[in-house]
Structure formats: structure tokens, C-alpha cells
Amino acid sequence: RIRPQLAKEKIEGCHICTYVLPGEPQLVLGKDKAFTYDHVFDMDTQQESIYTHCTESLIEGCFEGYNATIFAYGQTGSGKTYTMGTGFDVNIEEDELGIIPRAINHLFRGVEERRQTASEQGKPVPEFKINAQFLELYNEEVLDLFDSTRDIEARKQRSNIKIHEDANGGIYTVGVTTRTVTSAAEMIQCLKLGALSRTTASTQMNAQSSRSHAIFTIHLCQVRVCSPDNDDNVTDNRLANSSEINEFETLTAKFHFVDLAGSERLKRTGATGDRAKEGISINCGLLALGNVISALGDRSKRSSHVPYRDSKLTRLLQDSLGGNSQTVMIACVSPSDRDFMETLNTLKYANRARNIKNKVMVNQDKASQQISTLRTEIARLQMELMEYKTGKRMVGEDGMEGINDLVHENSMLQTENNNLRVRVKAMQETIDAQRARLTQILSDQANQVLAKAGEGSEEIGNMIQNYIKEIEELRAKLLESEAVNESLRKSLSRASTRPSLYGGPGGSFSPALLAPEKEASDVIEMAKKSLEKLKKKERKKKKRLQFKDRTLCIFPVFFTRARICRQEGSDHEEGEDADGEEEDFDMAGDETSDDSDSDELEEKENVQADLANITCEIAIKQKLIDELENSQRRLHTLKQQYEQKLAMLHNKIRDTQLERDKVLHNMGSMETGTEEKAKKIKVEYERKLSSMNKELQKLQSAQKEHARLLKNQSQYEKQLKKLQLDVTEMKKTKVALMRQMKEQQERNRVTECRRNREIASLKKDQRRSEHQLKQMEAQKRQQELILRRKNEEVTALRRQVRPVSGKVSRKISLPEPLQEPSHRATPGRMNTSGTSAVNGARSSPVRMGSTYLSRTARAKWQSLERRVTDIIMQRMTISNMETDMNRLLKQREELTRRRERVSRKREKMAVEGADADRSLASLNEELESLSANIDYINDSIADCQANIMQMEEAKEEGDTVDVTAVISSCNLSEARFLLDHFMTMAISKGLQAAQKDSQLKVMEGRLKQTEINSATQNQLLFHMLKEKAEINPELDALLGSALQGGKQQRIHTVSEMLVIENPSLCFSTLASDLMKLCGESRPRSKARRRTTTQMELLYAGSGDPSCESPTGDFSVPLLPLSERLEGSADMQGHALGQTPDREQTVSPSALSARPVGISGSRSPTGTERRLLERSPLSRRKVQEKGATATHIPAPTHTHTLPLSTAEAKTKGSDHKSIGVINPVTAPKNNRGAKLQCVYVAEGHTKPVLCVDATDDLLFTGSKDRTCKVWNLVTGQEIMSLADHPSSVVSVRYTSSLVFTVSTAYIKVWDIRDSAKCIRTLTSSGQVGSGDICSSVRSLSIPPGESQINQIALNPSGTFLYAAAGNAVRMWDLRKFVSTGKLTGHLGPVMCLTVDKLANGQDVVLTGSKDHHIKMFEVAEGAQGSISSSQTFDPAHQDGVESLTVHGDVFYSGSRDYYIKKWDLGSKQLLQQSVSAQADWVSALGVVPGSPVLLSGCRGGLLRLWHADSLAPLGEVRGHDSPINGLATNSSQLFTASDDRTVKIWEAKGSLEEGVH
């Protein structure tokens, strides 16, 4: 079944790659892949038609005790659930019901019909019992969908349902809920209940994808009256009794409705986590099903093992595949070329399944089976008894059974008879040929004689030839009749010399036995007479045919007559008389046939038809007579045998009685005999006598039975004759009906083809008419526009009538004033009363001519305008086609590369030779599918090229014919009119092009200005760094590396990448670096300063909010310079709340929180110009004054900072207190500690769960559903990122983008522009624009998603890795797309970290609840599912909670309280700490600038370890609550805890000797 195209596929431009041949069950995929099935349903097929063709007969078979199965197979989203009807919608139409609801209604309708029929016929009403089961196969576990007590999470546990096999090979399940139903509504309710419990989820290919295989089973049990199998039961003694006894049979049947989950490719569905595991399980089950189908359907594998036990799906369906079931498979496919590979594989799958042969039998209980067996035995015994009666089987003298010799003799005689008939026919043909040759010779001789005499002609020659022919035929007949008469006379003489067969009355025959014999002979006589009549009638018909036909039939008639006469003994004389009469009749027939020569041709067809019917009837009756005669002879022989045996027994009884009397007499006379001896002899003889009497009774009963059978024999023969006639008629009717059906099918096919052609032509006409209609509508709108413009001009002219000058008067009096009033106003002014009468008289005809000429010119202009529009549309169409062709070319290139990879893999596997057969077969199949897909794409490319060429040719023809003809037919006035309109059109188009050019130049100018600004600021930066390098050795080293090219190249590259979106990004980063290196602080300017610092000169425009460059809309034209200066100054003043000329100085550290851009399209404002004019000397003085500020000022120090828009938004929307970073005074007893807490960030209302930091920014995530951004320079909270669905469990920052994690979502925030959420990423790989998750607090995870525990960025910031469930999802941040996932863990991934190898690959280290740590190597551009390259052993004893990398080694902390050190190069465990913490190791980090490892635990303690030896260096009480996160920057440590604070730590001196 082919489903219709989806709206998404139509929007994406997918083409239909399937075609169904009309009237044939054949499907063509692509160009030449043809598949034939029992039924093929196209896209427009309704559900009713599918049910009628596929399922209706299966339901009827269930009532007869046959099992049935119907299952749907196909890729995900191909319509399987819709076809089967297991997915229930709220408002489903009646005609959209699937197979299962229709089958249920049909089943209960059939039950009612059978009950009603039985009650009408007076028979016992059959009893029905119907049960239902609904199973789900989820991840290879059988689940019961009817189990209402089952928990939602129970599907993750092992199932208690067992699968067993009974003694007959049938499959049944134990532990499944079985529901007994009594109505269709009740069963549909059960089906709905199970369907709602079924596992579904959303993927990229299907919004409601079935994630499990569903099997809905109906068990039908019925008890009904046995129906008689055949007519032989009439002879059964049981049924012969008057009181009829009803026998009952029990039939059972089961009907499986299987809705398979769709086969899917993880690359296309984008499934991860549980969805990916489900997809793998689904594909494993379908692979096992495919192996079973291959083993059963492939003729070369039929003798091999069938792997039913590879999967529970195939085990449950063992009956349906090659077993006792009628099975229908519905292959559901997609018509789109995007799914070409999946469709081809599905069709191959179904083609293999079509070769399976099932062994179907009726399911009866043991009593019914025994009754059926006994009936079969009775029928066999009745047949054997019939053979005894007819004499075919007999008992020999030794008591052994055997076949009668008469049967063998009869078969031999029949064979000999057939051979003789063939020989006679051949001889007859030879005689006919010789006779024709003799006739020709005689006629030639007669013609020669006549020719010599001069009297010959063609007519005379033909007449002579006919006469000679007839003479020869009559001579042959005469010879034949004489020979027959001679044989009859001989047989008569032989018969008269021997006694008659029935002459003497048999002494042993009783009158009762003679009656049936006489009756049989009467029947034979009547049949012979009827046969003679039919033969006479046949000869009469034959006489009317041609001579050749008549001569062919004469000899067999006489042969038959002679054989009949030989069989008869007493009626030979009558036979001779009949022969004589027939000969006379034949002669008379010859004469009449000579006279009625002309009527033969007209009646020939009717006569031939009658002759055929009569010949058929003769053959049947002849056969019947032969059978009756044989039966008569066998009965006679059998009767003689019985009589002989009966006489012999009578003699034996008589002899025995005489012997008994003699013995008794002797015993009485004997004096010496004792009484005991006499009794013994008496008993022995009595016993012999009783046995003989019993034998006599048996023989007498057999004799009676024999007499009764003789009496019924004629009745059987009549029935046999009638049945044979019925069979003959049925065969004739069948042949006629088959011929009629073929003709009707051919007519239907022709009609269907014609109708399809008509539909195609009508669609073409409809498209043409729609196109014409659109053109006419456009023409109408244009005419209405022109008419409205003309009316407005006429109204204006009437309103402005005044005397015109002489020049205008002369123009009006010219013969061709054809300028359009809308474009030339002066010709439109009419003469007033001041004009002469002559001019007034002239103006009227000129106006009429002008109107006429302008109308024709307007018509030509409209035609030209339409032509121009058509040309534009054609070129647009060609452009679209070229785009489509480019897409196909890319697709072909990708498939070609994929095919080459598969070919190389196959060659490599062939060389290795390991597990070659199965792997090579799968690779060959994949290669074949890829080749077919490439061929289809090649055909599509060829079609595109042909269409483009056709469009080009049509365009050239249209250009040469249409435009040239219109232009050549214009006169001067029309040419002026057209030129005027073309000028207007050219001006408007040029204006549009100029506007586009100006917009392009604006964008180019902004880009160049941005580049200039970037270069200038880089130069300023390096000049300033040179000045500072003398007193700062670290800065000197940094500058030296930058001068070598590395640092400069990196900064320049980053600025080039980011300057287009927001040029201030790289500058704000430079500002933060500068603050760190130079120790600059925000100047404390109480009053207006006339000097500026280097920082302010470098970022002169950064404090101006109006300087932000537009991010996407460059369509606004550039203002003049003066307007831009005024506008920027006004905006600056309004934004800062001060006058425009008031100078504001903002530190770069504040700007780093909210970077703003320097617009590349504006000149410096007046303030900036003054700043640029300041001398470097004054700059240096101010800089030196401000250099004494501390790194983080005390909170008591107040500032008048202008708020960024993000801060203003936070303050305006949230009335809670803004967080601050407060300094911490070290206690007296701890002042000598080398690791000291210097600051505390407070502001969260709930525990802080995660932390991330740069040198000037801090990011914290909390349970209060917010992520706060802090400025480490000012000590203030900059912004709060809110509206998370639950706790923020992880946060990361890179290049102005903040990534926050809550439940199954990753929010991407752009903190450059009002801190808005620009993307939302989900754990399943979906990407949403903006904030798509709900802002309401929600702890539940949507279906198909997984909890994300942690995220990490690679060192370059281009890839994001998210630990979701037991896998890690990969994201390409350059495109914001999911590229795949890292799989291999059995438990949830709790932590991960990323590093980069020397070859540029990302190394991802993951720790999981399954106690294992795995390493993944991710190459550039890697996609799909990537497995781990290393699993580190030995594993931890509990779940891994934290990881950190330090050079070539990394450290792992676990819930087992231990820390382990691993080598990345050798992948070996180097060291393990001794009892690391008193609780879980929840956080790890390396102290900046020291080879010291810092660990935090749930108890709040911070412990220090030597990075090389893992020797403990001491511990510090970090927090009073559990430590949840740890982060570092270049100089500080940050710890997040449940006490709602983040502490900032600094190392005072070297920590290698210990903390204190």
C-alpha cells in the first residue's frame, strides 16, 4: 500500500518515485524496478477496498476453523498503524476505520448470521465463545496491554509472560490477560484501551511513532452440528434409521493482527537515549523476521534451519510463518524519492515473503477429529464394498483378497481397443488419400479424352470429377457393407450352434434373484435402443455435411454395430433387419443429399453445433452401457460363486448331520462305551455344529445383502449417469464463464487506460484554463488601473480648463497628438473660449483618432508587457529547475561517495574472508539499493535538463515570433506610446535596482568601516601593550608570542568572524583581557574630565547605546552626515538620561557584561571627535592616576554606572535584591592559610548547583530556576537568566553565548542583546527557535526526552556535548544542529569533560552511574552514533561524579569516596587516593598556577592533593553544606554549594608544602 505524500514532503519538493500499472497488481519503483504482488493499492485507495481484498476471506475462514494472521510492515511513518487501525483518534470517520475495527464488526455480524440461519432451518443454534488478547513487544520484552495494574515504568523491568509450544507445534503464551467479549462494541473498547497503553514517541520522521510491535489476537471457539461431507452417507446404516441423531463438532481459530513498528535509520529519525535503544530493538526484531522470511521463502535455503528463536517476535509468529495459518502481509511504503532506499528494501522484503508456503488445516477438538476419522474410514469401507459388489475385488480360494482377473482383462482389452481405433483412423486417412488420388487420375484421363474430342471445358471437367469421386465413395461403402454382412452371417451361424446364455433356467436361482437380473437387462436394451436412435440422428446430420466428413464416420459406426451384435446372443436377426433398414436409409440419404446440395452451406454452422452436442451425448451413453454390461457380467459371476459356496455348505451340513446320527446310533449300540466318553463326543460335535450354523447364518445374511444391492444397482447407475451429465454441463459452463471473464477484464483494462488518458488531458486543460484565467485577471486589474487613472486625469483636466498658449494650440492641432496624458500634461489641456473657432472645430476628429490609436497602442503595450512577464516567469522557472538539479547533483555525489565506501568495505571483507557469506550478501544488497537510487536520481537529472532545454527553446521561439511581430506592426504614434511606457518601466526598474545597489553599498561601507576600526584598535592595543611590557614580564611574554604571529592572527580571525554579527564582541573581550593585564579600573570621575585614558580612546564608542549596529535589517537608507550626528547625539542623551553634550565615561569592565557594537556606517560624534583629538600625554596622566584602583572594589564604594538594557530589564521585572560579590575578611586563626576565601557571591534564593567562570565574568545556576551573570571587576550581578522549567543543573559560557541546562532542555542565551534566549535544544536532538519550553515550574520530562545532567564545550567553542540519559548528544554550534551522539554506557552519564588532541580531534571523557569511565575520540565532521574508543579499568565501586583534565592525565571522583588518576596516553590507572573524602567526591579542579588538585565533597570539605603523587596536602572547611560545583579561571577558584552562595578562593603562595 502506497500512502499519500505528506505536506512536509510536498513543501520540500520531494517527487513521487512510484507508479502502479492500471488494472495490474504491479508496482514500478523509479524507472525500471518492477515488483508484482497479489494486490497493489495506490495512494488514493480507501480503507474499505483494502479490507475487502485482504481480510474478508480470512474472517470467513475463521468460522471454518482456519487460523489467520495479517501484519503490516514498512518504514516508520509509512501508514502501518493507520492501515491496521490500532491508533485511535478522537474524531475518526467511518470510512477511515482500519482493518481491525472492520474485522471485529464482520466477525460479530457473521456470528449473528449463522445463529439466525440455524434457527430458520430448525437446526440447533451454534455456540460461540470469543476471547481477545493484546500484547506489546517492547525492547524484546512481551508486555500485556490489558493489564490495568501494570505501572508505566514496568516496561523497563523483565516481563513474566512466557512463550510455549504445544505437542502439535502451536504457539501459546502463559501469563497473558484474556478478555471474553460478547459484542463488537466491547471488543473495540478493549482495543482502544490497549492502544492507549501502547508505547509511542516522537521522532524527526513521525510525530507519533510506534516504539513497539503490537499483536492483537482474537480466539474464536464454536460448537456446531456436523455437516455431511458427501452423498455416500446415504448408504450408511446409521442414517438409514428413521430417528436422526445430531452430531456436534468443536472448531477453534485464532486471528493475529500484527502492527509492526517501523524500521528506521537513526540518522534520519534523530533518535537518542531511550528512543535510540527502542529503534535498535525494533530493527533487531525486524532483522530476525527478515531472516525467517528468507529461510522460508528462498528456495535455496528451504532445507536449512529456520531461526524462529532469534527474537520473541518471530517466536510469537511461528504459526503464521510457514505454519498452520493463512497469512497476509501488507507492505506499507512511501511514494517520495527521499525514501527511495527504504521503499526498495521494503518491497524486496515483501517479495521474499510472497514465496512462503504455509500448511493450513482445520483446528478441531479430539472428539471432532475422531468423528472425522471414522467418517473417512466408513467411506473407504463403502468403496471397498462397492468394489466387491462390482466384482473388481474378490476373495480367492485360500482366503486372500485380490483383484479380479476380469478387471485386468478389461483394461487390457480397452488398451487394445484404443490402439486398434488409432490404427483404423490412420488406415481410413490413407484410404481417403488414395481415393482422392484415384479420383484425380480418372478425372484427368476423362478431361484428356474430352480435350482430344474438342468438347472439353472447365465446368464439364469439374462435374466429371465430382461424379467419379461419388462413384468411388459409393463403391467403398458397398465393399464395406458386404464385409459387415459377411461377418454378421458368420457370427449368426456360430451363435445358432451353441446354447443360449440365458436359455436354461438356473436351478439354484430363486425368482427373487432373477427379478433384478431381468430389470438390468431391460435397462440395457432400452439404452441400446436409445443409442441406435441417436446414431441414426447422427448419420442424418452427417449426410448433410460434405462428403469427406461423411466418409470419416461410416466405418466406426459399422464397427460399433458389429461389436454390439457380437455382444448380443439372441437378437442377431433383429440386428440384421436393422442394418438393412439403415442401409436403405443411407442410400435414401445419399439421394436426398445430392438434391439438397445448395442448403448445406447455409445450415452448416447449426448442424456442426448440433453434431457436437449429439457426439458428446453418444460418448456418455456408450460409456454408460459398457459399464452396465461389465457390471452385469460381474454380478453374474459373483452370483455363481455364491451359489456354489452355498451348495457346498448345504452338502457339508447334510454330511455332518448324517455323521452325527451315525455316531449316536453307534454309541447306543456299543456296550463297552462309557457315559463320560459319550458326553464328551456329544459336546464336541455340538460345538462344531453351532459354529457351522453361525457360518451359515453369516452367509445367508450376506446373500440377502447381495440381493438388496442388486436391487439398488440400477438406482446407482441412474444417479451416476445424472451426475456425469451434470459434470459435463458444468465444465462447459466453466469454460464459457472463463472466456467471458477474460473478455470483461480486457474491456475493463482498455476502459481504465482510456479514462486515465482522459483524466490527464482534463487536468492539462484545467491547468491551461487556470493559467489563462490568471492572465485575464491580471489584464483586468491593469485595465481597471488604467481606466481609473484616465478618469482621474479627465476630472483634473475638466477642473483646470483655461486658455492655452499658441505653442500648445499648435501641438493640439497636429495630426498625431498621441502622448499619454498621465505622462505629458500639456497635450491634455483643451482649448477654451479664447481659442479660435477653427481650432475648436478641428479638435473633435483629432480626439477621436487619438482615442482609437491610443487604444490599439495600449493593446500592443499590454501584449508586450504580458510577454515580458512571461519571459520573467520562464526564467524564474528555469532558475528553480536549475536549483532542483543542483540539489539532485549534490545528492548523487553523496550517494556515489557512499557507494564507493561500501565497495571498498566489500573488497576488504572479501580479502579477509571472515564471516563472508552473510556480510557480503548484505553489502551486495546495499550496493544494489544505492545503484538503484543513483539511477533514479540520474533519470531525474535528465528530466530536469530536458525541461530546461524545452523552456529555453520555447523562450527563443516566443522571443522571435511574438515580440518581433508586435514591434514590426507599430506605426510612429504607437512606437512613441510604447517607447514612453518602456521608459517608465525602465525608470521604475532602474530605481529599484539603484535602491538595492545603495543598500548593498551601505552594507559594504559598514563592513569596511568595521574593518578599519578593528585594525585601528588593534594598533592602539599593541602600542599600549608595548608601554606596559616594560614593567610587566607576563605581558612582555604575551606580547612576544603575539608579535610572532600567533596571538595577532587569532585576534584578527576572531574579529573577522564576529564583526558582521556584532563588532563589539571581540572588542569587549579585548577590553577584559586589557583590564586583567594592565590592572585598569573604572576611573572615579566625580566631575567632567577634559582628558581621556587609552582605554577610553580604544573603546570610545562602546559606551554609546545608540552605536549598536543593526543585526539584520540594512534596508534603511543612509542619512546625511548632519542628521546622523544629531540623531546619534540625541539617542545618546536620551539613553543616559543626560544632555547630549554631557560626557559619560564607562569602564570596559562594565561594558564586558553587555557588549555593544561600533557602527561601521557612521562618523564619530562630536564627543568622540574631541576624545580623539586629546593628546597622548594627558591620556597617560589620567591613566596613571587611575591605576591605583583595586581589582575588585569594596561594596561600600558607590558608582553612577549607566545600566545596560539587560540590567534595566532585570530591575524592572524582578523586585528581588540584586546579587553582589562581597569581600571576606580572613579570621585571625586562618590568616596564615595559603588557600583563602576572598569573596562571596550572594543573591540566589535556593542552593547553587553549578558554576562557570572567565577572568571577568562569573555564571551560576541554582534551584531557584535562574542563572545569574556576575561581573568580577565591579562585583555586581549583571543579569539574571530566568524562566527555566526547573533547576539549572549546568551552565557554560563561550563567545557571548551562555548555555543553561534544565530538565531535558538546553537554553542558548545571547547576553550581547538584552540577554534573550535565541535557541532551545532538547535531549532528543530537536532545535527550537527562541524559548520553546514552558516557563511554569515543571519536574516532568516530556515523552521521548531524557534528563540532561551536564554539558561541556570543546576548547575551540564550536561543539557542545550534553550528557542526556545513557548517551552524550553532540551539537555543532556553527549551525545549531545535532550531529549525533556518543553511546556505550549502560547507566546515566553523570559528568563529562572535553579536551583536544594534537591532531585536532576532540577527546570526550564521560563518567556514568554504571561505575565506568569511557573515552570517545570525535573527529571533525563526525556524525551518527559513535562508540567509545576506550573503557578505563579498573572501574570505580560506585557512580562517577566528577572529572577534570590536567595535561596528559585526568582525575576522576566517585561516590565510593576515592579519587583515581589516569594516563590519557597509555589509558592506564596511575594512582588511587587513600580514602579521599568522608563523603561523595562531587567536584574536582586544579588550582591555577600550582600542581595541586582540589576536591570537594558532600560534607562541604575542600581537600588538596599533590597532582603528581596524589599525596594529601590538607583540607579546608569550604562550606557548611554540600559542594555541588567547582570552576577555575586564570587566578581564582569558585565553589558552589547548597548554602546558596558561591565562594571565590585565591592561593597565597605555593601550596605544594601544604595548606598552612
Side-chain angles (χ1 to χ4, degrees), residues 50-68:
I50 292 177
Y51 177 78
T52 304
H53 288 89
C54 296
T55 317
E56 205 166 33
S57 60
L58 299 183
I59 292 291
E60 294 297 329
C62 282
F63 285 112
E64 301 301 324
Y66 294 104
N67 294 337

Side-chain angles (χ1 to χ4, degrees), residues 1299-1313:
F1299 301 87
T1300 59
V1301 175
S1302 182
T1303 64
Y1305 299 101
I1306 305 173
K1307 288 191 173 186
V1308 186
W1309 307 82
D1310 187 354
I1311 60 173
R1312 298 175 299 180
D1313 186 12

Side-chain angles (χ1 to χ4, degrees), residues 618-661:
I618 286 172
I620 294 170
K621 290 192 174 183
Q622 183 69 47
K623 189 173 180 181
L624 180 61
I625 290 170
D626 293 341
E627 291 293 331
L628 287 174
E629 288 180 346
N630 293 332
S631 176
Q632 192 72 19
R633 285 197 296 272
R634 286 195 295 271
L635 283 174
H636 183 67
T637 307
L638 195 62
K639 185 175 67 175
Q640 286 181 348
Q641 291 176 355
Y642 273 112
E643 286 175 354
Q644 291 174 3
K645 188 175 286 189
L646 196 61
M648 184 178 66
L649 288 172
H650 275 294
N651 295 330
K652 193 173 182 181
I653 290 170
R654 189 171 62 250
D655 294 341
T656 306
Q657 288 176 350
L658 292 174
E659 187 179 356
R660 183 194 61 183
D661 295 339

Side-chain angles (χ1 to χ4, degrees), residues 1-3 5 15-21 26-31 33 40-43 333-337 339-340 343-344 347 936:
R1 183 182 190 183
I2 306 172
R3 67 159 170 80
Q5 265 195 315
H15 300 292
I16 295 176
C17 61
T18 59
Y19 173 68
V20 178
L21 294 179
Q26 192 172 32
L27 170 67
V28 179
L29 181 64
K31 295 292 182 184
K33 298 285 182 184
V40 174
F41 302 104
D42 209 349
M43 291 182 284
V333 297
S334 163
S336 300
D337 56 354
D339 302 322
F340 186 93
T343 300
L344 180 61
L347 294 177
Y936 175 74

Side-chain angles (χ1 to χ4, degrees), residues 777-1004:
E777 287 177 353
Q779 187 176 356
K780 180 185 175 185
R781 285 194 297 270
Q782 192 174 5
Q783 289 176 353
E784 288 177 351
L785 182 63
I786 294 172
L787 181 62
R788 187 166 62 251
R789 193 169 60 205
K790 295 293 183 185
N791 289 334
E792 292 173 357
E793 291 171 358
V794 169
T795 306
L797 287 173
R798 286 176 179 170
R799 199 181 296 120
Q800 298 173 2
V801 171
R802 60 177 179 271
V804 295
S805 63
K807 185 177 181 181
V808 176
S809 300
R810 283 195 300 275
K811 282 192 175 183
I812 292 175
S813 62
L814 287 173
E816 293 180 349
L818 293 174
Q819 279 116 1
E820 187 72 11
S822 62
H823 304 289
R824 301 174 184 266
T826 49
R829 295 172 183 165
M830 292 297 143
N831 289 330
T832 60
S833 57
T835 316
S836 64
V838 178
N839 289 339
R842 268 185 187 168
S843 64
S844 178
V846 167
R847 194 182 302 118
M848 291 175 61
S850 172
T851 303
Y852 172 73
L853 290 172
S854 65
R855 188 182 302 136
T856 58
R858 194 176 297 114
K860 291 183 179 180
W861 164 247
Q862 289 173 357
S863 66
L864 283 176
E865 192 175 18
R866 281 197 303 272
R867 182 58 192 159
V868 170
T869 306
D870 291 343
I871 292 173
I872 292 172
M873 292 301 294
Q874 285 177 356
R875 293 188 178 178
M876 285 180 62
T877 306
I878 291 173
S879 176
N880 293 335
M881 288 181 178
E882 289 175 348
T883 304
D884 199 6
M885 190 168 71
N886 290 332
R887 177 181 67 84
L888 291 171
L889 288 171
K890 290 179 182 178
Q891 198 172 353
R892 182 178 67 180
E893 186 177 355
E894 180 183 354
L895 287 172
T896 305
R897 288 199 298 268
R898 185 174 165 192
R899 184 173 64 178
E900 290 174 356
R901 288 198 299 270
V902 174
S903 298
R904 288 196 296 270
K905 186 176 179 182
R906 185 182 65 174
E907 292 171 0
K908 184 179 178 182
M909 192 168 293
V911 171
E912 292 175 356
D915 195 11
D917 293 338
R918 182 176 299 179
S919 302
L920 285 177
S922 63
L923 288 176
N924 288 331
E925 190 169 347
E926 187 175 358
L927 274 176
E928 186 181 349
S929 302
L930 288 170
S931 301
N933 202 353
I934 291 172
D935 293 341
Y936 175 74
I937 291 176
N938 286 332
D939 295 336
S940 302
I941 291 172
D943 293 341
C944 276
Q945 291 173 343
N947 291 334
I948 291 173
M949 293 298 296
Q950 188 176 359
M951 294 288 292
E952 292 284 355
E953 292 172 0
K955 181 184 69 174
E956 292 173 2
E957 292 176 2
D959 289 343
T960 54
V961 177
D962 197 5
V963 180
T964 307
V966 172
I967 293 176
S968 61
S969 63
C970 292
N971 54 25
L972 185 58
S973 58
E974 291 173 346
R976 288 175 181 170
F977 181 86
L978 296 178
L979 184 60
D980 193 6
H981 277 72
F982 272 121
M983 284 292 293
T984 306
M985 179 187 286
I987 290 169
S988 64
K989 298 293 183 185
L991 178 62
Q992 294 177 7
Q995 289 176 350
K996 297 291 182 184
D997 282 341
S998 67
Q999 293 173 11
L1000 185 62
K1001 288 178 181 177
V1002 166
M1003 295 171 67
E1004 291 176 351

Side-chain angles (χ1 to χ4, degrees), residues 71 147 233 240 244 315 402 614 690 853 908 1021 1517 1556:
F71 63 94
D147 188 3
N233 286 336
E244 185 175 349
R315 184 67 170 152
I614 292 170
S690 63
L853 290 172
K908 184 179 178 182
L1021 175 65
R1517 167 58 64 179
H1556 300 284

Side-chain angles (χ1 to χ4, degrees), residues 196-300:
L196 291 176
S197 303
R198 193 178 173 194
T199 307
T200 59
S202 173
T203 65
Q204 290 181 1
M205 293 184 69
N206 191 2
Q208 286 186 341
S209 175
S210 301
R211 312 308 296 164
S212 63
H213 308 296
I215 303 176
F216 182 70
T217 307
I218 298 175
H219 292 274
L220 174 66
C221 178
Q222 62 173 327
V223 180
R224 67 179 186 184
V225 178
C226 292
S227 58
D229 294 336
N230 48 30
D231 293 337
D232 294 338
N233 286 336
V234 179
T235 62
D236 196 354
N237 289 327
R238 292 185 295 102
L239 299 180
N241 299 330
S242 58
S243 61
E244 185 175 349
I245 301 173
N246 290 321
E247 292 183 4
F248 292 91
E249 62 179 354
T250 303
L251 299 178
T252 58
K254 61 181 178 180
F255 202 130
H256 289 305
F257 298 94
V258 186
D259 179 14
L260 298 175
S263 60
E264 55 187 42
R265 284 194 289 173
L266 298 182
K267 180 179 178 182
R268 293 199 57 190
T269 58
T272 58
D274 290 341
R275 300 293 82 75
K277 186 177 179 183
E278 293 162 359
I280 292 169
S281 174
I282 290 166
N283 289 339
C284 288
L286 294 176
L287 176 64
L289 182 62
N291 292 335
V292 170
I293 289 175
S294 297
L296 291 170
D298 193 352
R299 295 178 180 175
S300 61

Side-chain angles (χ1 to χ4, degrees), residues 31 137 149 380 394 503 520 620 703 707 966 1093-1094 1122 1187 1208 1263 1276 1362 1367 1387 1462 1521:
K31 295 292 182 184
L137 192 62
T149 62
R380 187 183 64 79
M394 60 179 293
I620 294 170
Q703 186 178 5
V966 172
T1093 64
Q1094 287 179 342
S1122 58
K1263 275 190 177 181
Q1276 296 285 334
W1462 309 84
S1521 300

